[in-house]
Amino acid sequence: MKRFRESDVKPQNPMSVALPRLVTVTLMLTASVVVAAEPLTTIPQTPIHGCRGGKAKLYDECHAQAPIFDKALRTAREQGKVLLVSYGAEWCIWCHVFDAYVKGEHSRFIHPYSDEEDKERYNATIHERAESDPSGPAADLAAFVAQNFVLVHIDSRYATDGWDVLDAAGATDGYGNWLPYIFTTDAEGQFAAALVSERVEIRRDTDDWFRGYDRDRLTAELSRMKEAAQ
């Protein structure tokens, strides 16, 4: 099986040259999905219509990002929650993994991915291999995120103003040339705190190619980011 390899990326900005598309990635869950007591508000809402024939699953690559960010910030204020920003791209596996975890997915994941023209398709199946049933911790994480955050996806690669959104939020200094760049903002839309991925990620660089998060550590890290935003 051909394996996808993640690489460092640079942000899109008005002065940069558009880079070719690398890989289109979609994360799907084939095990149980935990439904939080209240659903997580995610902007833009999916499916994203009118963009790449429905291939854009999380990030609206076809429209301006500033209105998306502004809508999410207004929604967070109305709901009395903190804005959680995922600056990433459709081809970024970690971006889809983060989204899956905060929505309560667990156990067995399938990553279908392909080249831009869909000439070749590959599937990578990964198993969580938890020492105990992960459904409880998955439900707790999903409930915590839904109760405290509004999640907005800002496209880093193909939308023309993704980098401008970060700049306006005062978040560019914290960007470390990796995706996803996860951070919170205060009620005015200004940078508060960034996720430190090394504290929460689980990598298993074996044939099953696992990517995931320690849910307890992720909850603690998101709690820290929430407090910084309030």
Side-chain angles (χ1 to χ4, degrees), residues 34-79:
V34 177
V35 179
E38 63 176 297
L40 172 63
T41 301
T42 305
I43 297 173
Q45 295 180 334
T46 56
I48 300 171
H49 298 289
C51 185
R52 296 183 57 224
K55 292 181 180 179
K57 304 300 182 183
L58 298 180
Y59 299 89
D60 187 340
E61 303 172 329
C62 304
H63 301 95
Q65 302 298 289
I68 294 173
F69 180 88
D70 291 344
K71 178 181 179 180
L73 183 60
R74 289 195 304 270
T75 302
R77 289 172 179 165
E78 292 168 358
Q79 296 185 5

Side-chain angles (χ1 to χ4, degrees), residues 11 44 88 152 158 171 186 229:
V152 61
Y158 304 111
D186 62 18

Side-chain angles (χ1 to χ4, degrees), residues 7 15 25 31 36 47 81-82 87 103 118 145-146 154 156 165 176 187 195-196 198 201 203 210:
S7 60
M15 300 302 294
V25 180
K81 298 177 182 178
V82 169
Y87 179 70
K103 290 178 179 175
D118 289 332
V145 175
I154 299 297
S156 66
V165 168
L195 181 82
V196 180
E198 292 84 355
E201 288 180 357
R203 290 175 178 261
F210 183 73

